[in-house]
Amino acid sequence: MDELRTPGRRGVLKAMGLGAAVAATTFTVGPAAHAAVSARPAPRQADQQWSNPIIRHIHTADPAVLVHQDRVYLYAGRDVAAPGATDFLINDWHVFSSDDLTTWTDHGPRLSWRDFSWSDGAAYASQCVERDGRFYWYVPIADRGPAWFSIGVAVGDSPLGPFRDARGTPLVSGSDPSAPTLNIDPTVYVDPSGRAHLYWGSWWELRYAPLADDMISLAGPIQTISGLPGFWEAPFLHRRNDLYYLSYAAGGNPATIDYATSSSPTGPWTFRGTVNGRVSSPTNHQAFFEFRGRWYIAYHTSDLPGGTQFRRSVCLDRVEYDAAGLMLPVQQTRQL
Ligand code: FUB
């Protein structure tokens, strides 16, 4: 399925611009929404209030989550590919927020590749993180220059922005000889000692670089990370207690979400297997987060009516850990 992203198709990615500004919209995806959408069986957990997919009025993909002041902020690309399209078309990222994981507010498109003067398309999988009261949004976007994809960073003063290009140039250029072939899917984590870590990559190539304290420049050379079986793309770094978890889409397309653990954010990593199985979309992309003492995974599927591999929808499920801190396989719930 490598043909999902080929350099020759870059032109397709530029075709559609931002729609009209979207006012904040609040909606609830719970039991009341079921009948209106589908009569499909609903094996929801007994105390689970939300229904999957959690975002239903538009197609969304590549979730990343930030918890700030007891509110969950979900950052996701908006898939606007036509039903018969044969490639991704993603021009902007929406931010959604919730304080109960069931009622979500769509704050509209808060960032686009168009906000980066050096880009000419493709809002792929991003992540927004907080440091010292500022919010840094790392984005993989097509590069106008000779590079195919480069990684940029936008900065804002709140989880909703407004955000602006923090550098005016790529943070990681796809032209760098150390960069992977497909320079996408950044994940950033600030560890308890204040060191910030950047992982990214696709097409079987995983890269790492330390971030400087300013969060918008690298603090060391790009390193190639090996030893993660089947690594394909979508690295995501999180920490629970004293253990670090590096999860990733494994096996190509279709992918499972596999993971490894380490006592350090830079490894060495011990492979732990699959935490989230295949989904209805060939791509599989995850974010883990803690909210009010429980852990969750956000991911995407093609389950929304009209869904295709290029028209995806964000879902949410619980994550449980065993006594040793290993993640148990996610029980995916589906209630359309
Ligand atoms: O959404 C475009 C790409 O598909 C992402 O960057 C990958 O992680 C995969 O989900």
PDB file of all heavy atoms in Angstrom, residues 5 61-62 79 88 90 123-125 140 184-185 233-234 283-285 300 312, ligand 1:
ATOM      1  N   ARG A   5       0.998   7.129  -0.671  1.00  0.00           N
ATOM      2  CA  ARG A   5       1.732   8.392  -0.634  1.00  0.00           C
ATOM      3  C   ARG A   5       2.917   8.287  -1.582  1.00  0.00           C
ATOM      4  O   ARG A   5       3.909   7.655  -1.270  1.00  0.00           O
ATOM      5  CB  ARG A   5       2.240   8.681   0.773  1.00  0.00           C
ATOM      6  CG  ARG A   5       1.149   8.987   1.742  1.00  0.00           C
ATOM      7  CD  ARG A   5       1.733   9.279   3.100  1.00  0.00           C
ATOM      8  NE  ARG A   5       2.265   8.079   3.689  1.00  0.00           N
ATOM      9  CZ  ARG A   5       1.527   7.242   4.397  1.00  0.00           C
ATOM     10  NH1 ARG A   5       0.274   7.481   4.588  1.00  0.00           N
ATOM     11  NH2 ARG A   5       2.067   6.160   4.920  1.00  0.00           N
ATOM     12  N   ALA A  61      -8.754  12.401  11.047  1.00  0.00           N
ATOM     13  CA  ALA A  61      -7.715  11.364  11.122  1.00  0.00           C
ATOM     14  C   ALA A  61      -6.545  11.843  11.970  1.00  0.00           C
ATOM     15  O   ALA A  61      -6.415  13.030  12.279  1.00  0.00           O
ATOM     16  CB  ALA A  61      -7.221  11.032   9.714  1.00  0.00           C
ATOM     17  N   ASP A  62      -5.689  10.879  12.305  1.00  0.00           N
ATOM     18  CA  ASP A  62      -4.404  11.157  12.952  1.00  0.00           C
ATOM     19  C   ASP A  62      -4.556  11.956  14.239  1.00  0.00           C
ATOM     20  O   ASP A  62      -3.978  13.045  14.403  1.00  0.00           O
ATOM     21  CB  ASP A  62      -3.485  11.925  11.972  1.00  0.00           C
ATOM     22  CG  ASP A  62      -3.264  11.165  10.680  1.00  0.00           C
ATOM     23  OD1 ASP A  62      -3.210   9.924  10.722  1.00  0.00           O
ATOM     24  OD2 ASP A  62      -3.148  11.827   9.632  1.00  0.00           O
ATOM     25  N   ASP A  79      -9.996  15.017   6.821  1.00  0.00           N
ATOM     26  CA  ASP A  79      -9.958  14.339   5.512  1.00  0.00           C
ATOM     27  C   ASP A  79     -11.052  14.933   4.627  1.00  0.00           C
ATOM     28  O   ASP A  79     -12.245  14.795   4.948  1.00  0.00           O
ATOM     29  CB  ASP A  79     -10.216  12.837   5.694  1.00  0.00           C
ATOM     30  CG  ASP A  79      -8.958  12.057   6.051  1.00  0.00           C
ATOM     31  OD1 ASP A  79      -7.852  12.516   5.730  1.00  0.00           O
ATOM     32  OD2 ASP A  79      -9.103  10.961   6.640  1.00  0.00           O
ATOM     33  N   PHE A  88      -4.859  10.882  -0.206  1.00  0.00           N
ATOM     34  CA  PHE A  88      -5.262  11.775   0.866  1.00  0.00           C
ATOM     35  C   PHE A  88      -5.473  13.194   0.343  1.00  0.00           C
ATOM     36  O   PHE A  88      -4.780  13.633  -0.590  1.00  0.00           O
ATOM     37  CB  PHE A  88      -4.180  11.847   1.945  1.00  0.00           C
ATOM     38  CG  PHE A  88      -3.954  10.558   2.655  1.00  0.00           C
ATOM     39  CD1 PHE A  88      -2.767   9.867   2.513  1.00  0.00           C
ATOM     40  CD2 PHE A  88      -4.936  10.019   3.480  1.00  0.00           C
ATOM     41  CE1 PHE A  88      -2.545   8.675   3.177  1.00  0.00           C
ATOM     42  CE2 PHE A  88      -4.732   8.827   4.156  1.00  0.00           C
ATOM     43  CZ  PHE A  88      -3.537   8.153   3.999  1.00  0.00           C
ATOM     44  N   ILE A  90      -5.853  16.546   2.707  1.00  0.00           N
ATOM     45  CA  ILE A  90      -5.956  17.063   4.081  1.00  0.00           C
ATOM     46  C   ILE A  90      -5.309  18.448   4.065  1.00  0.00           C
ATOM     47  O   ILE A  90      -4.099  18.561   3.853  1.00  0.00           O
ATOM     48  CB  ILE A  90      -5.223  16.170   5.100  1.00  0.00           C
ATOM     49  CG1 ILE A  90      -5.460  14.682   4.817  1.00  0.00           C
ATOM     50  CG2 ILE A  90      -5.629  16.524   6.515  1.00  0.00           C
ATOM     51  CD1 ILE A  90      -4.546  13.756   5.587  1.00  0.00           C
ATOM     52  N   ALA A 123      -1.672  18.320   5.059  1.00  0.00           N
ATOM     53  CA  ALA A 123      -1.652  18.421   6.520  1.00  0.00           C
ATOM     54  C   ALA A 123      -1.699  17.010   7.107  1.00  0.00           C
ATOM     55  O   ALA A 123      -2.756  16.515   7.482  1.00  0.00           O
ATOM     56  CB  ALA A 123      -2.838  19.255   7.003  1.00  0.00           C
ATOM     57  N   TYR A 124      -0.568  16.386   7.217  1.00  0.00           N
ATOM     58  CA  TYR A 124      -0.499  15.008   7.717  1.00  0.00           C
ATOM     59  C   TYR A 124      -0.512  15.001   9.257  1.00  0.00           C
ATOM     60  O   TYR A 124      -0.813  15.988   9.904  1.00  0.00           O
ATOM     61  CB  TYR A 124       0.731  14.312   7.140  1.00  0.00           C
ATOM     62  CG  TYR A 124       0.514  13.706   5.763  1.00  0.00           C
ATOM     63  CD1 TYR A 124      -0.484  14.162   4.904  1.00  0.00           C
ATOM     64  CD2 TYR A 124       1.315  12.664   5.307  1.00  0.00           C
ATOM     65  CE1 TYR A 124      -0.678  13.600   3.651  1.00  0.00           C
ATOM     66  CE2 TYR A 124       1.134  12.091   4.052  1.00  0.00           C
ATOM     67  CZ  TYR A 124       0.131  12.562   3.228  1.00  0.00           C
ATOM     68  OH  TYR A 124      -0.047  11.999   1.991  1.00  0.00           O
ATOM     69  N   ALA A 125      -0.119  13.869   9.844  1.00  0.00           N
ATOM     70  CA  ALA A 125      -0.336  13.659  11.279  1.00  0.00           C
ATOM     71  C   ALA A 125       0.526  14.585  12.139  1.00  0.00           C
ATOM     72  O   ALA A 125       1.749  14.593  12.027  1.00  0.00           O
ATOM     73  CB  ALA A 125      -0.037  12.209  11.627  1.00  0.00           C
ATOM     74  N   PRO A 140       3.779  17.755   9.874  1.00  0.00           N
ATOM     75  CA  PRO A 140       4.459  17.331   8.653  1.00  0.00           C
ATOM     76  C   PRO A 140       3.671  17.845   7.444  1.00  0.00           C
ATOM     77  O   PRO A 140       2.477  17.594   7.321  1.00  0.00           O
ATOM     78  CB  PRO A 140       4.389  15.804   8.743  1.00  0.00           C
ATOM     79  CG  PRO A 140       3.160  15.514   9.530  1.00  0.00           C
ATOM     80  CD  PRO A 140       2.807  16.754  10.342  1.00  0.00           C
ATOM     81  N   ILE A 184       7.468  12.436   8.062  1.00  0.00           N
ATOM     82  CA  ILE A 184       6.131  12.757   8.592  1.00  0.00           C
ATOM     83  C   ILE A 184       5.981  12.242  10.027  1.00  0.00           C
ATOM     84  O   ILE A 184       6.874  11.641  10.594  1.00  0.00           O
ATOM     85  CB  ILE A 184       5.002  12.167   7.708  1.00  0.00           C
ATOM     86  CG1 ILE A 184       5.073  10.635   7.693  1.00  0.00           C
ATOM     87  CG2 ILE A 184       5.079  12.725   6.288  1.00  0.00           C
ATOM     88  CD1 ILE A 184       3.864   9.967   7.017  1.00  0.00           C
ATOM     89  N   ASP A 185       4.823  12.519  10.601  1.00  0.00           N
ATOM     90  CA  ASP A 185       4.359  11.945  11.862  1.00  0.00           C
ATOM     91  C   ASP A 185       5.243  12.287  13.061  1.00  0.00           C
ATOM     92  O   ASP A 185       5.709  11.388  13.795  1.00  0.00           O
ATOM     93  CB  ASP A 185       4.202  10.428  11.723  1.00  0.00           C
ATOM     94  CG  ASP A 185       3.068  10.050  10.767  1.00  0.00           C
ATOM     95  OD1 ASP A 185       2.488  10.966  10.170  1.00  0.00           O
ATOM     96  OD2 ASP A 185       2.787   8.849  10.627  1.00  0.00           O
ATOM     97  N   GLU A 233       5.261   3.681  10.698  1.00  0.00           N
ATOM     98  CA  GLU A 233       5.091   5.134  10.841  1.00  0.00           C
ATOM     99  C   GLU A 233       4.375   5.406  12.152  1.00  0.00           C
ATOM    100  O   GLU A 233       4.218   4.518  12.987  1.00  0.00           O
ATOM    101  CB  GLU A 233       4.314   5.713   9.654  1.00  0.00           C
ATOM    102  CG  GLU A 233       2.890   5.193   9.545  1.00  0.00           C
ATOM    103  CD  GLU A 233       2.172   5.710   8.309  1.00  0.00           C
ATOM    104  OE1 GLU A 233       2.798   6.373   7.455  1.00  0.00           O
ATOM    105  OE2 GLU A 233       0.959   5.446   8.192  1.00  0.00           O
ATOM    106  N   ALA A 234       3.942   6.650  12.344  1.00  0.00           N
ATOM    107  CA  ALA A 234       3.115   7.037  13.492  1.00  0.00           C
ATOM    108  C   ALA A 234       3.745   6.766  14.851  1.00  0.00           C
ATOM    109  O   ALA A 234       3.094   6.220  15.754  1.00  0.00           O
ATOM    110  CB  ALA A 234       1.735   6.370  13.405  1.00  0.00           C
ATOM    111  N   THR A 283      -4.497   2.664   7.217  1.00  0.00           N
ATOM    112  CA  THR A 283      -3.640   3.386   8.154  1.00  0.00           C
ATOM    113  C   THR A 283      -4.236   3.269   9.551  1.00  0.00           C
ATOM    114  O   THR A 283      -5.443   3.147   9.731  1.00  0.00           O
ATOM    115  CB  THR A 283      -3.513   4.870   7.784  1.00  0.00           C
ATOM    116  OG1 THR A 283      -4.808   5.470   7.805  1.00  0.00           O
ATOM    117  CG2 THR A 283      -2.852   5.044   6.423  1.00  0.00           C
ATOM    118  N   ASN A 284      -3.346   3.318  10.521  1.00  0.00           N
ATOM    119  CA  ASN A 284      -3.743   3.197  11.915  1.00  0.00           C
ATOM    120  C   ASN A 284      -2.840   4.198  12.642  1.00  0.00           C
ATOM    121  O   ASN A 284      -1.620   4.157  12.478  1.00  0.00           O
ATOM    122  CB  ASN A 284      -3.467   1.758  12.365  1.00  0.00           C
ATOM    123  CG  ASN A 284      -4.220   1.338  13.605  1.00  0.00           C
ATOM    124  OD1 ASN A 284      -4.670   2.175  14.378  1.00  0.00           O
ATOM    125  ND2 ASN A 284      -4.337   0.032  13.804  1.00  0.00           N
ATOM    126  N   HIS A 285      -3.424   5.104  13.403  1.00  0.00           N
ATOM    127  CA  HIS A 285      -2.609   6.164  14.008  1.00  0.00           C
ATOM    128  C   HIS A 285      -3.165   6.468  15.393  1.00  0.00           C
ATOM    129  O   HIS A 285      -4.352   6.719  15.545  1.00  0.00           O
ATOM    130  CB  HIS A 285      -2.633   7.419  13.120  1.00  0.00           C
ATOM    131  CG  HIS A 285      -1.583   8.408  13.489  1.00  0.00           C
ATOM    132  ND1 HIS A 285      -0.530   8.728  12.655  1.00  0.00           N
ATOM    133  CD2 HIS A 285      -1.404   9.134  14.605  1.00  0.00           C
ATOM    134  CE1 HIS A 285       0.252   9.598  13.241  1.00  0.00           C
ATOM    135  NE2 HIS A 285      -0.269   9.869  14.441  1.00  0.00           N
ATOM    136  N   HIS A 300      -7.887   6.228  14.613  1.00  0.00           N
ATOM    137  CA  HIS A 300      -8.894   6.437  13.573  1.00  0.00           C
ATOM    138  C   HIS A 300      -9.255   5.137  12.873  1.00  0.00           C
ATOM    139  O   HIS A 300      -8.500   4.163  12.914  1.00  0.00           O
ATOM    140  CB  HIS A 300      -8.473   7.534  12.572  1.00  0.00           C
ATOM    141  CG  HIS A 300      -7.288   7.186  11.718  1.00  0.00           C
ATOM    142  ND1 HIS A 300      -6.226   8.045  11.504  1.00  0.00           N
ATOM    143  CD2 HIS A 300      -6.980   6.081  10.997  1.00  0.00           C
ATOM    144  CE1 HIS A 300      -5.346   7.478  10.706  1.00  0.00           C
ATOM    145  NE2 HIS A 300      -5.774   6.282  10.379  1.00  0.00           N
ATOM    146  N   ARG A 312     -11.454   9.157   6.971  1.00  0.00           N
ATOM    147  CA  ARG A 312     -11.356   8.407   8.218  1.00  0.00           C
ATOM    148  C   ARG A 312     -12.133   9.108   9.346  1.00  0.00           C
ATOM    149  O   ARG A 312     -12.667  10.192   9.156  1.00  0.00           O
ATOM    150  CB  ARG A 312      -9.874   8.231   8.560  1.00  0.00           C
ATOM    151  CG  ARG A 312      -9.138   7.414   7.479  1.00  0.00           C
ATOM    152  CD  ARG A 312      -7.645   7.574   7.504  1.00  0.00           C
ATOM    153  NE  ARG A 312      -7.241   8.924   7.111  1.00  0.00           N
ATOM    154  CZ  ARG A 312      -5.980   9.343   7.071  1.00  0.00           C
ATOM    155  NH1 ARG A 312      -5.004   8.529   7.399  1.00  0.00           N
ATOM    156  NH2 ARG A 312      -5.709  10.579   6.706  1.00  0.00           N
TER     157      ARG A 312
HETATM  158  O1  FUB B   1      -3.031  11.115   7.296  1.00  0.00           O
HETATM  159  C1  FUB B   1      -1.896  10.998   6.482  1.00  0.00           C
HETATM  160  C2  FUB B   1      -1.001   9.912   6.975  1.00  0.00           C
HETATM  161  O2  FUB B   1      -1.697   8.675   7.066  1.00  0.00           O
HETATM  162  C3  FUB B   1      -0.437  10.109   8.360  1.00  0.00           C
HETATM  163  O3  FUB B   1       0.616  11.021   8.415  1.00  0.00           O
HETATM  164  C4  FUB B   1      -0.069   8.707   8.711  1.00  0.00           C
HETATM  165  O4  FUB B   1       0.207   8.511  10.068  1.00  0.00           O
HETATM  166  C5  FUB B   1      -1.277   7.955   8.227  1.00  0.00           C
HETATM  167  O5  FUB B   1      -2.315   7.981   9.160  1.00  0.00           O
END
